[in-house]
Amino acid sequence: MILDIFAKRANTHEGKLQVELAQLNYMLPRLKGKGFVLSRLGGGIGTRGPGETKLEVDRRKIRDKITKIKERLDKIASIRKSRRTLRKKREIPVVAVVGYTNAGKSTLLNALTESAVLTEDKLFATLDPTTRKLLFPEGREILFTDTVGFIRKLPILLIEAFQSTLEEAIEADLLIHLIDVSSVNWHKQYLEVKKLLTKIGATQPTILTFNKIDRLSAEELALLKLERFQEESVVFISAQKKIGLQDLINTVRNHIEADWVEIDIFVPFKLGKIIEMIKKYGDLKKIEPVEDGYTVKASVPKNLKNVILDTLQSKKIG
């Protein structure tokens, strides 16, 4: 049944390949039939060797198809990996939105980035990772990725088939674990997602985000906040009603900037590109024009600080 639902929801080429791979992996060990010997002739010149049964032929065809699909998915995964590497080089933070199926991940992505990702009140409406860009007021970029929804006891063959998609969660800088708090089973769903994240190796910082709070009474919401007060990164939102989104963005910002450092530098006019990099990837706090350049105070990622100082030093040497 799960495979049938996945097949109906797959829209992209990659999604269809992943579903087909899962279907074939499911089918292979379940092939049954008496089969028959095509040929048992042996010996003499011009005769055929031992033949294959119909069952063996079917299994070989399925294995061959599985191999070809894996090769095609590997090529797509390689392209995605190259894109992730480029994003890391450009110091663009990536936040993956994960959660149980139908938790509202695509709705949240649309609300945060004003995009138009497919949103439906259906299981597994999203099977392919979708990445959208959000610009902070100062012009800095951050990427949000919507991922395939999880379910209880997700079959291992689906995990294997969607490995390249799940890697978007593994490789992200930060996770938003979205929970449909209006579901009576939200706590069990929360535990299932945590279990699967551990299984695939996604151990980065996580913002626990309770969605659909507009469906709770004031008393229910107050009790939920009281229950979760000890956890550091908890946000309460309604993606559809756009409630609490600024709190979520601020929490994301705090995580991303946790290991940033302050810099106080002089930037020559000829190296004005440094200022553009700070605006794009850091937080430019103060800039003043002086003779031959600018004095700059900013907060930036550690890696960017090293790049900037190396650039300034090489200019002095040159």
Side-chain angles (χ1 to χ4, degrees), residues 4 11 35 44 48 63 146 163 170 173 204 226 258 313 315:
D4 286 343
N11 294 311
R48 297 173 60 181
R63 289 192 189 99
D146 182 15
Q163 187 63 40
I170 300 171
D173 299 292
Q204 59 271 70
L226 184 63
Q313 185 63 29
K315 179 65 178 176

Side-chain angles (χ1 to χ4, degrees), residues 93-296:
V94 179
V95 180
V97 183
V98 300
Y100 209 79
T101 183
N102 210 31
K105 296 182 295 297
S106 297
T107 301
L108 176 60
L109 196 69
N110 289 341
L112 288 172
T113 64
E114 298 183 355
S115 55
V117 179
L118 172 68
T119 59
E120 293 185 86
D121 188 17
K122 294 178 179 178
L123 298 177
F124 311 113
T126 300
L127 289 185
D128 306 287
T130 304
T131 300
R132 293 291 181 268
K133 179 170 64 176
L134 172 69
L135 284 177
F136 284 125
E138 59 271 23
R140 181 152 41 90
E141 294 179 1
I142 184 169
L143 297 179
F144 286 87
T145 296
D146 182 15
T147 60
V148 62
F150 298 163
I151 59 168
R152 182 173 174 268
K153 295 182 179 179
L154 188 66
I156 189 66
L157 59 91
L158 284 177
I159 295 176
E160 292 172 352
F162 282 79
Q163 187 63 40
S164 63
T165 300
L166 294 172
E167 282 176 1
E168 291 296 317
I170 300 171
E171 298 291 335
D173 299 292
L174 178 67
L175 298 180
I176 290 177
H177 180 171
L178 198 64
I179 299 168
D180 176 6
V181 76
S182 69
S183 170
V184 295
N185 296 315
W186 72 259
H187 194 263
K188 289 182 180 179
Q189 295 170 357
Y190 157 72
L191 294 176
E192 286 295 332
V193 173
K194 280 193 68 175
K195 188 189 301 181
L196 184 54
L197 289 173
T198 301
K199 184 181 293 185
I200 66 175
T203 58
Q204 59 271 70
T206 302
I207 301 173
L208 197 59
T209 306
F210 290 92
N211 189 27
K212 306 184 185 181
I213 61 170
D214 55 302
R215 301 184 186 182
L216 299 181
S217 66
E219 181 180 340
E220 288 172 327
L221 180 57
L223 288 172
L224 179 62
K225 289 182 177 180
L226 184 63
E227 177 188 339
R228 296 282 163 174
F229 83 98
Q230 286 185 314
E231 298 180 66
E232 292 183 7
S233 296
V234 180
V235 181
F236 302 88
I237 70 166
S238 169
Q240 189 174 46
K241 302 292 184 181
K242 297 187 176 181
I243 299 170
L245 295 187
Q246 191 58 52
D247 288 342
L248 179 57
I249 291 173
N250 291 340
T251 305
V252 168
R253 182 197 293 266
N254 291 339
H255 272 278
I256 290 172
E257 297 179 1
D259 64 345
W260 283 21
V261 291
E262 302 291 323
I263 58 172
D264 191 343
I265 57 175
F266 168 75
V267 179
F269 288 130
K270 292 183 179 180
L271 294 180
K273 187 177 180 180
I274 289 177
I275 296 172
E276 296 305 314
M277 289 182 68
I278 293 173
K279 288 180 179 178
K280 193 168 187 178
Y281 306 119
D283 183 10
L284 182 62
K285 298 182 181 298
K286 187 177 181 181
I287 178 170
E288 290 185 358
V290 294
E291 187 178 357
D292 298 328
Y294 305 93
T295 58
V296 174

